[in-house]
Amino acid sequence: MEKLLTNIVRAVFPDSILKFVPKIYYNFNKIRFNFFKRPVLEKETSKARTRREKQNFFNLYCNGNGLDIGYGGDAITKNCDGFDIEDGDAHYIKKVINNKYDYVYSSHLLEHLDEPAIAIKNWWKVIKKNGFLILYIPDRDLYEKKKTLPSRFSLDHKYFFTLDKDELPDTLGLIPLIKNNLSDFKIISSEICSEGLTITDPYLHSNGEYSIEVILQKIYD
């Protein structure tokens, strides 16, 4: 949906108008999904399912009560809680901030946020001791295929991401972001996932997986 919207508005509207489109789109969804249930969709999380099943991901990291932040209709498990635009600001997750979860998962959301550091600090608060934070975001070089904003494929990407290196002002390293803002964690795994990726043309939207996946365990509460 977002990819189609991006292509349409870029063909029709000048740059001075484009900056307002994401806000209009998200406000529309906020209203819509307060009245209607989100449809079940197959998005980035679904793309990773086969790989994760091979890695025993779900048995290892998705037991107990879970929270999927920014799930967009494509939740990591059937029984986890979902948090999205209709529930509030993902930086602060006020609707669930007093809850405690065995795992928190977020797919392709951090790049849309103005302050990723604030977000992961608050997401960390709701995780139980020995629980997991699973971050899954587009890799700059596999998805954006350029080093500076704006994104060719999203009107709303605030940052690009690499796994381990900041290239400011446009690119954040996910590992440095974690190390600078969280404590009492163990990095269980960190990898660049490219299962099924065959499109490398910088002007074409990538297929398959084109994402960074980092799994953290909370050592102390």
Side-chain angles (χ1 to χ4, degrees):
M1 178 67 174
E2 184 183 346
K3 182 170 67 173
L4 176 62
L5 177 65
T6 299
N7 291 337
I8 291 172
V9 298
R10 279 193 168 144
V12 174
F13 296 107
D15 289 345
S16 59
I17 300 297
L18 292 180
K19 63 183 179 180
F20 298 107
V21 172
K23 186 174 182 178
I24 294 169
Y25 174 67
Y26 293 131
N27 282 335
F28 169 71
N29 277 346
K30 185 175 183 179
I31 295 169
R32 177 166 59 136
F33 294 127
N34 268 310
F35 291 96
F36 302 99
K37 185 178 179 180
R38 276 187 178 266
V40 176
L41 302 173
E42 291 190 357
K43 301 170 74 175
E44 304 307 324
T45 295
S46 289
K47 288 182 184 180
R49 181 164 295 279
T50 299
R51 171 184 60 81
R52 288 169 173 166
E53 287 174 344
K54 292 177 183 177
Q55 296 173 337
N56 202 30
F57 172 97
F58 298 99
N59 289 330
L60 290 172
Y61 310 120
C62 296
N63 293 303
N65 297 320
L67 174 67
D68 188 333
I69 304 174
Y71 75 108
D74 188 20
I76 184 66
T77 63
K78 291 181 179 179
N79 298 322
C80 69
D81 292 340
F83 186 101
D84 215 302
I85 187 69
E86 62 271 25
D87 300 301
D89 188 338
H91 288 89
Y92 303 104
I93 57 171
K94 289 183 178 178
K95 185 175 180 178
V96 296
I97 197 66
N98 294 319
N99 295 359
K100 285 291 183 179
Y101 291 96
D102 297 291
Y103 64 94
V104 171
Y105 172 82
S106 183
S107 168
H108 286 235
L109 175 61
L110 275 181
E111 70 275 13
H112 292 275
L113 300 182
D114 292 312
E115 299 287 349
I118 291 174
I120 65 169
K121 286 177 183 177
N122 283 312
W123 301 356
W124 194 243
K125 290 177 183 177
V126 305
I127 300 171
K128 296 177 182 178
K129 181 181 177 181
N130 296 322
F132 299 99
L133 174 61
I134 305 158
L135 300 173
Y136 188 65
I137 55 177
D139 175 77
R140 182 193 67 186
D141 298 329
L142 297 183
Y143 180 71
E144 306 290 358
K145 292 168 280 189
K146 57 184 297 206
K147 293 190 175 183
T148 57
L149 288 163
S151 171
R152 291 191 181 99
F153 308 112
S154 174
L155 296 171
D156 192 44
H157 282 190
K158 307 297 194 309
Y159 294 99
F160 294 164
F161 281 88
T162 64
L163 176 61
D164 55 11
K165 184 172 63 175
D166 288 334
E167 292 184 22
L168 300 175
D170 295 336
T171 298
L172 298 178
L174 185 55
I175 296 299
L177 179 70
I178 290 166
K179 289 183 175 180
N180 290 335
N181 291 283
L182 301 182
S183 61
D184 301 327
F185 65 85
K186 177 168 65 174
I187 298 177
I188 301 299
S189 70
S190 61
E191 62 178 315
I192 296 173
C193 306
S194 58
E195 188 88 7
L197 176 66
T198 61
I199 296 174
T200 58
D201 187 323
Y203 294 97
L204 296 179
H205 194 283
S206 297
N207 60 344
E209 286 190 81
Y210 37 78
S211 299
I212 299 163
E213 183 178 88
V214 173
I215 303 172
L216 308 176
Q217 186 171 29
K218 191 171 190 178
I219 305 305
Y220 300 104
D221 203 0

